[in-house]
């Protein structure tokens, strides 16, 4: 059995607390599911404060490797301090289970797409994109890190209409990487073609942001009808994707922004910082938080009306 879970050394190193989260938190309700296990809404018994708890079980075949990945995710989260990045609270390790406590958000941009079953409006996409871009600029230029899994499912919305980039399970703290990591459909061509000698950098996140824009505009990323191997082949071999209905539905600014993010050759692709000056981001009219608060209200209303959105009932959990 791998020595994971009761590892006193890790606890004393300050990465994990040893208290029992099942006693510290009450009212646990599942609000998300991932590769690792589940994410819960929870209330701290002592203060009644609300948190999200990501529960990761570390047993089985690849437990040791898995534990190393979790430690990396926690280390990265601890370094991050930005309004547009989900705030880390603390982390517990008990009996082969890691509990990551973080700021509670209402749901991801992907969850919102699922409720409405149609594309978001351009001003909503713009606001989500601007928030995610601010997080990326911080990550790329202040920390020299790469997220490596930017997609609507990892962009959360918090109360007050604030965008929060989440899920640092794939992130790299070095700004040049060679590992083959991410979710196929959102992967940059240079990540797919990167072998050990061909490194990629933070511009891979810019590509994924462009794909996320298409996802929010069309409900799915390009090539989603293909299996992931075929999709990766196409990403590497074909011309960059564009917004469908490019001219008829979306502004020139939005088309131009997506086109810039999806410049195939990473050396010519703008950095996240350069994209802050793109007219689509810099020429804002309404306040982003107002646009996003309206989107949250619109989503809550749709969830209240329709029972089938059981999974998104979570967006109403904290309403009184
Ligand atoms: P994975 O690595 O498995 O993708 P994530 O960290 O992305 O795990 O979490 C999975 C899902 O759980 C998210 O897509 C989201 O719906 C939900 N979730 C994650 N973190 C939070 C949070 N802080 N607040 C609310 N929901 C969250
Ligand atoms: Mg995720």
């Amino acid at each position: 059995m791998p020595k994971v879970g009761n590892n006193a050394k890790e606890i004393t190193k300050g990465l994990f607390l040893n208290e029992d989260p099942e006693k510290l938190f009450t009212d646990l309700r599942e609000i998300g599911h991932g590769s690792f296990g589940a994410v819960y809404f929870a209330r701290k018994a002592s203060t009644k404060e609300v948190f999200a708890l990501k529960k990761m079980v570390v047993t089985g075949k690849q437990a040791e490797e898995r534990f190393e990945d979790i430690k990396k995710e926690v280390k990265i989260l601890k370094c991050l301090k930005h309004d547009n990045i989900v705030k880390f609270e603390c982390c517990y390790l008990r009996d082969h289970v890691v509990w990551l406590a973080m700021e509670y958000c209402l749901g991801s941009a992907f969850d919102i797409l699922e409720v409405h079953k149609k594309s978001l409006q351009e001003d909503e996409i713009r606001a989500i994109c601007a928030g995610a871009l601010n997080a990326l600029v911080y990550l790329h230029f202040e920390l020299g890190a790469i997220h490596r899994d930017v997609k609507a499912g990892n962009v959360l919305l918090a109360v007050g209409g604030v965008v929060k980039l989440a899920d640092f399970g794939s992130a790299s703290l070095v700004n040049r990487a060679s590992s083959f990591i991410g979710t196929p459909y959102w992967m940059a061509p240079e990540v797919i073609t990167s072998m050990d000698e061909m490194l990629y950098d933070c511009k891979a996140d810019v590509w994924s942001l462009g794909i996320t824009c298409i996802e929010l505009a069309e409900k799915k990323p390009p090539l989603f009808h293909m299996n992931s191997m075929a999709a990766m082949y196409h990403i590497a071999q074909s011309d960059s994707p564009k917004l469908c209905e490019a001219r008829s539905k979306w502004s020139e600014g939005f088309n131009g922004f997506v086109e810039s993010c999806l410049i195939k050759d990473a050396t010519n692709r703008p950095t996240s910082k350069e994209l802050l000056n793109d007219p689509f981001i810099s020429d804002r009219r309404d306040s982003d938080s107002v646009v996003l608060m309206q989107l949250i209200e619109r989503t809550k209303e749709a969830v209240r009306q329709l029972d089938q959105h059981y999974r998104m009932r979570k967006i109403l959990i904290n309403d009184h």
Side-chain angles (χ1 to χ4, degrees):
M1 195 69 177
K3 290 196 293 307
V4 177
N6 290 319
N7 198 327
K9 236 176 26 197
E10 299 301 344
I11 290 164
T12 49
K13 262 197 243 159
L15 214 46
F16 300 105
L17 303 170
N18 190 24
E19 291 148 285
D20 183 357
E22 285 177 280
K23 292 204 179 101
L24 294 177
F25 294 90
T26 58
D27 206 9
L28 265 66
R29 287 184 243 176
E30 193 172 319
I31 52 172
H33 215 87
S35 39
F36 55 87
V39 178
Y40 299 90
F41 164 96
R43 219 176 265 284
K44 203 165 195 172
S46 54
T47 60
K48 304 280 179 257
E49 266 176 297
V50 165
F51 291 97
L53 289 181
K54 185 167 170 175
K55 180 182 179 182
M56 297 176 274
V57 181
V58 234
T59 52
K61 259 206 254 148
Q62 283 153 340
E64 226 150 342
E65 215 175 282
R66 177 92 195 94
F67 191 54
E68 287 308 310
D69 288 346
I70 292 173
K71 280 197 289 186
K72 207 173 110 203
E73 180 174 356
V74 176
K75 275 183 198 153
I76 293 177
L77 269 174
K78 276 185 118 168
C79 307
L80 303 173
K81 272 192 185 60
H82 191 273
D83 276 354
N84 295 114
I85 292 183
V86 73
K87 189 169 158 246
F88 170 82
E89 184 66 20
C90 59
C91 199
Y92 305 90
L93 172 61
R94 282 194 66 106
D95 306 328
H96 306 278
V97 181
V98 172
W99 299 79
L100 201 163
M102 59 189 145
E103 154 185 31
Y104 164 74
C105 301
L106 296 166
S108 71
F110 174 80
D111 293 329
I112 289 176
L113 278 178
E114 289 272 282
V115 169
H116 298 293
K117 299 259 181 271
K118 60 178 201 187
S119 52
L120 300 189
Q121 292 158 14
E122 188 174 308
D123 58 344
E124 296 165 342
I125 299 175
R126 203 212 74 82
I128 291 172
C129 194
L133 191 61
N134 284 334
L136 290 180
V137 172
Y138 166 78
L139 208 60
H140 297 165
F141 290 89
E142 289 197 33
L143 293 182
I146 322 176
H147 184 281
R148 298 200 288 193
D149 203 11
V150 174
K151 56 180 182 176
N154 289 335
V155 178
L156 308 183
L157 290 185
V159 180
V162 187
V163 174
K164 306 273 177 179
L165 184 63
D167 194 356
F168 288 80
S170 304
S172 161
L173 269 182
V174 288
N175 59 12
R176 289 189 77 73
S178 61
S179 345
F180 188 66
I181 283 178
T183 312
Y185 306 92
W186 289 261
M187 249 180 212
E190 68 273 18
V191 176
I192 294 168
T193 55
S194 81
M195 297 299 156
D196 281 343
E197 74 282 5
M198 270 185 69
L199 299 173
Y200 59 88
D201 64 12
C202 48
K203 287 187 182 174
D205 285 341
V206 169
W207 173 280
S208 305
L209 184 67
I211 298 293
T212 304
C213 286
I214 298 185
E215 181 187 11
L216 297 174
E218 296 170 9
K219 296 180 289 180
K220 300 268 182 288
L223 311 175
F224 205 65
H225 57 285
M226 291 183 189
N227 69 52
S228 50
M229 281 309 289
M232 286 192 289
Y233 175 83
H234 275 272
I235 294 167
Q237 299 299 323
S238 313
D239 290 343
S240 298
K242 286 190 166 78
L243 285 163
C244 296
E245 304 181 86
R247 295 253 164 75
S248 55
K249 189 164 178 190
W250 310 109
S251 71
E252 226 172 273
F254 186 25
N255 279 298
F257 180 79
V258 171
E259 215 172 289
S260 298
C261 290
L262 299 180
I263 292 175
K264 204 161 166 201
D265 180 353
T267 46
N268 297 330
R269 193 182 307 149
T271 62
S272 50
K273 204 179 224 170
E274 284 162 353
L275 281 173
L276 287 178
N277 297 322
D278 187 288
F280 181 59
I281 299 296
S282 58
D283 293 353
R284 65 174 72 183
R285 267 154 279 142
D286 299 313
S287 157
D288 290 346
S289 56
V290 173
V291 168
L292 293 179
M293 279 196 293
Q294 284 164 355
L295 172 64
I296 290 166
E297 275 320 306
R298 190 158 81 79
T299 309
K300 285 186 176 181
E301 200 42 47
V303 172
R304 277 188 207 106
Q305 302 277 327
L306 295 162
D307 283 347
Q308 76 240 41
H309 295 315
Y310 178 72
R311 213 165 63 81
M312 265 311 272
R313 288 260 147 219
K314 65 182 181 185
I315 203 174
L316 305 174
I317 284 180
N318 213 22
D319 283 8
H320 301 290

